[in-house]
C-alpha cells in the first residue's frame, strides 16, 4: 500500500519532486564519476604513477566524494522539504484516518527511493562522461598517469546509487518530522495556518551546529603552515556546519536580518517596498527556505574562492600543499561542483516557492492589483531575498576564511578575489530575480477567478 501511494504521489505532483530529482541526479553522476576514477590507474606501472603531480587520483576522488555527499545531503534535505509541502495536506489527512508516524516516514522514504531509481541510469551515463572528461583534464595537467583510463562505470554507478539512496532516505526520515511530530489535528491545521516559530529542538540543533562550526574554525586556525591542507579541509567542513546552523535557525534569523533592509525599501519605495517587506517578514518559513540555498551557494563559492586567493598569495618560493598551482586548479574544480549543487538548490527552491503562491497572486489581482504591480513587488522581494542570502553567506565566509588565513599566512585578513566575488554576487542576483519573475509569470497565466478559490 505504501509503495502504491508513493508512486501515485510522484505521478500527481511531478513538479514537487523536480528539484529533488535534479539534486539526486547530480549526486549520482558525481559519485559515479569519482568512483570510476578510483580504478582508472589499475594496471598502470608504479613508476608512471609516481611521476604525476598533485595528491593522486585516490585522494582527489576521496576529497571530492566527501564534500559531494555532504552537500548532496544538505540540498536533498532542502528539496525534500518542498516535496513534503506539496503533499502536506494529503499526509496530514492520512494521519487523521489512522496512518501512524512510522507509515508516513516509510511513505516519504519510498518516494525518495523511487526518485533515486528514476535518475540512476541517466546519472550513471552522465557520471561516466564526466569521469572521462575530468580524467583528461587531470592528465593534461600531469596530475594523472598518461595511460590511466576509465574502463567501466557499472560498479561505480551501483555504489553511487546506493550512497545516494542512503542520503535521500535519511533526509526523508528527518524531513518527515514536520508532519509526524504534531498531533494529526495540529498537522492538518498547520497545512493552512501561518508560519510557526522555530521549535526548541530546531534551535537547540542550530546551537549545536554553531558550536561545532566554531570548534572546526579553531582547529583550522591553529594548524601550522606545514599542515595548511588540513586547515583547508577543516575550513571547508566548518563552512558546511555553519551553513547548517544558518539553515536551522533560518526562520528566526531571516525576519531579524530583513528588518533593516526592509526599512530602506519602505523609505525608497513607500508602496511596493512596503508590500514586499510585509510579505517577507510575514512568512518567516517561506523567507528562510528561499534564503538558505542562496546562502549555501554564496557561502561555499566565496569561501572556496577566498581560500584559493589566500593560498596563492601566501605562496613564497617553491609551492607546496594548498599553495601549489595544481591544488588551486583542484579548488576551482571543486568550486564548480559546489556551485552546481547550490544553483540547483536555489533555482528549484525559488520556482517551488513562487508556484505555491498562485492563489495569493490571484487574490491580489481580484482586489485590483495589476499583473505588472504584482511582478514589481515580487522583483523587490527577490532582490531583498538575494541580499539577505548574500549577507548570511558572507558572514559565514568571513568567519571561515579568517581562520584559514590565520593558518596559511599568520594574518587573519584573507586575500579576497574581488572579481570572483563580484561574479558570485551577480550570479546570486541573476539566479534569484529572473527565476522568481519567470515562475510568477507562469503562475499568473490562468484567470485569477479560476485560482482564487483553490
Amino acid at each position: 500500500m505504501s509503495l502504491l501511494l508513493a508512486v501515485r504521489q510522484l505521478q500527481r505532483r511531478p513538479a514537487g519532486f523536480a528539484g529533488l530529482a535534479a539534486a539526486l541526479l547530480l549526486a549520482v553522476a558525481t559519485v559515479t564519476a569519482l568512483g570510476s576514477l578510483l580504478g582508472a590507474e589499475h594496471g598502470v606501472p608504479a613508476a608512471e604513477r609516481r611521476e604525476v603531480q598533485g595528491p593522486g587520483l585516490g585522494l582527489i576522488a576521496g576529497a571530492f566524494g566527501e564534500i559531494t555527499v555532504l552537500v548532496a545531503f544538505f540540498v536533498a534535505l532542502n528539496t525534500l522539504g518542498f516535496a513534503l509541502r506539496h503533499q502536506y495536506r494529503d499526509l496530514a489527512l492520512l494521519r487523521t484516518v489512522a496512518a501512524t508516524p512510522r507509515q508516513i516516514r516509510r511513505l516519504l522514504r519510498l518516494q525518495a527511493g523511487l526518485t533515486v531509481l528514476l535518475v540512476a541510469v541517466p546519472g550513471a551515463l552522465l557520471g561516466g562522461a564526466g569521469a572521462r572528461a575530468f580524467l583528461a583534464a587531470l592528465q593534461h595537467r600531469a596530475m594523472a598517469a598518461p595511460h590511466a583510463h576509465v574502463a567501466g562505470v557499472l560498479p561505480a554507478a551501483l555504489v553511487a546509487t546506493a550512497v545516494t539512496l542512503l542520503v535521500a532516505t535519511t533526509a526523508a526520515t528527518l524531513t518527515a518530522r514536520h508532519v509526524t511530530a504534531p498531533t494529526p489535528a495540529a498537522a492538518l491545521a498547520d497545512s493552512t495556518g501561518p508560519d510557526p516559530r522555530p521549535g526548541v529542538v530546531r534551535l537547540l540543533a542550530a546551537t549545536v551546529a554553531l558550536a561545532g562550526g566554531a570548534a572546526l574554525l579553531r582547529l583550522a586556525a591553529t594548524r601550522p603552515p606545514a599542515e595548511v591542507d588540513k586547515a583547508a579541509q577543516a575550513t571547508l567542513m566548518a563552512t558546511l556546519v555553519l551553513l547548517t546552523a544558518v539553515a536551522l535557525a533560518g526562520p528566526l534569523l531571516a525576519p531579524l536580518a530583513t528588518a533593516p533592509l526592509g526599512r530602506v525599501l519602505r523609505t525608497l519605495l513607500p508602496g511596493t517596498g512596503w508590500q514586499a517587506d510585509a510579505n517577507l517578514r510575514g512568512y518567516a518559513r517561506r523567507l528562510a527556505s528561499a534564503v538558505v540555498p542562496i546562502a549555501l551557494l554564496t557561502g561555499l563559492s566565496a569561501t572556496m574562492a577566498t581560500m584559493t586567493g589566500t593560498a596563492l598569495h601566501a605562496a613564497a618560493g617553491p609551492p607546496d600543499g594548498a599553495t601549489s598551482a595544481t591544488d588551486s586548479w583542484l579548488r576551482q574544480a571543486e568550486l564548480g561542483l559546489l556551485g552546481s549543487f547550490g544553483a540547483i538548490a536555489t533555482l528549484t527552491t525559488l520556482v517551488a516557492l513562487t508556484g505555491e503562491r498562485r492563489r495569493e497572486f490571484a487574490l491580489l489581482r481580484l482586489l485590483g492589483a495589476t499583473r505588472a504591480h504584482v511582478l514589481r513587488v515580487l522583483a523587490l522581494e527577490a532582490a531583498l531575498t538575494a541580499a539577505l542570502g548574500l549577507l548570511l553567506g558572507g558572514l559565514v565566509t568571513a568567519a571561515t576564511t579568517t581562520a584559514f588565513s590565520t593558518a596559511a599566512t599568520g594574518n587573519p585578513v584573507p586575500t579576497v578575489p574581488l572579481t570572483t566575488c563580484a561574479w558570485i554576487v551577480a550570479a546570486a542576483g541573476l539566479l534569484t530575480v529572473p527565476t522568481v519573475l519567470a515562475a510568477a509569470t507562469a503562475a499568473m497565466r490562468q484567470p485569477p477567478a479560476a485560482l482564487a478559490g483553490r
Side-chain angles (χ1 to χ4, degrees), residues 371-421:
R371 186 192 300 261
H373 174 81
V374 174
L375 291 177
R376 282 197 300 272
V377 172
L378 288 174
L380 288 175
E381 286 185 30
L384 195 59
T385 300
L388 184 55
L390 286 167
L391 174 63
L392 294 177
L395 290 174
V396 171
T397 297
T400 54
T401 55
T402 296
F404 177 75
S405 182
T406 300
T409 68
N411 186 345
V413 180
T415 302
V416 180
L418 296 178
T419 301
T420 303
C421 290

Side-chain angles (χ1 to χ4, degrees), residues 190-392:
D190 181 58
S191 66
T192 56
D195 287 354
R197 292 182 178 275
V200 175
V201 174
R202 185 183 183 117
L203 292 179
L204 181 61
T207 303
V208 171
L210 182 61
L216 286 168
L217 289 182
R218 177 178 173 80
L219 176 64
T222 54
R223 294 300 89 193
E227 297 182 2
V228 70
D229 277 341
K230 293 182 179 179
Q233 294 171 6
T235 299
L236 192 55
M237 185 66 68
T239 303
L240 289 171
V241 174
L242 290 176
L243 286 170
T244 301
V246 169
L248 291 168
L252 182 64
L253 292 176
L256 294 176
T258 303
L261 297 174
R263 279 195 292 269
V264 175
L265 275 184
R266 288 170 182 257
T267 302
L268 296 177
L269 300 166
T272 53
W274 177 90
Q275 188 175 349
D277 179 42
N279 283 345
L280 290 177
R281 288 206 281 177
Y283 291 89
R285 182 166 55 183
R286 186 171 71 193
L287 175 59
S289 298
V291 164
V292 166
I294 300 171
L296 172 69
L297 173 63
T298 58
L300 286 173
S301 301
T303 297
M304 289 293 298
T306 305
M307 285 172 58
T308 301
T310 302
L312 289 174
H313 180 74
D320 62 348
T323 64
S324 67
T326 56
D327 190 83
S328 296
W329 182 85
L330 285 174
R331 292 195 191 286
Q332 293 297 326
E334 198 168 14
L335 174 59
L337 176 62
L338 297 178
S340 299
F341 274 104
I344 286 176
T346 301
L347 288 171
T348 56
T349 297
L350 292 173
V351 170
L353 280 174
T354 307
E356 287 178 355
R357 301 173 66 183
R358 285 187 175 87
R359 187 170 181 271
E360 177 187 333
F361 300 155
L363 290 173
L364 286 172
R365 294 175 64 193
L366 288 175
L367 291 172
T370 64
R371 186 192 300 261
H373 174 81
V374 174
L375 291 177
R376 282 197 300 272
V377 172
L378 288 174
L380 288 175
E381 286 185 30
L384 195 59
T385 300
L388 184 55
L390 286 167
L391 174 63
L392 294 177

Side-chain angles (χ1 to χ4, degrees), residues 12-49:
R12 287 181 57 201
R13 306 178 186 276
F17 291 90
L20 176 64
L24 296 179
L25 172 67
L26 184 57
V28 171
T30 304
V31 177
T32 297
L34 298 174
S36 299
L37 291 178
L38 291 175
E41 289 184 334
H42 180 71
V44 176
E48 184 178 331
R49 292 200 301 269

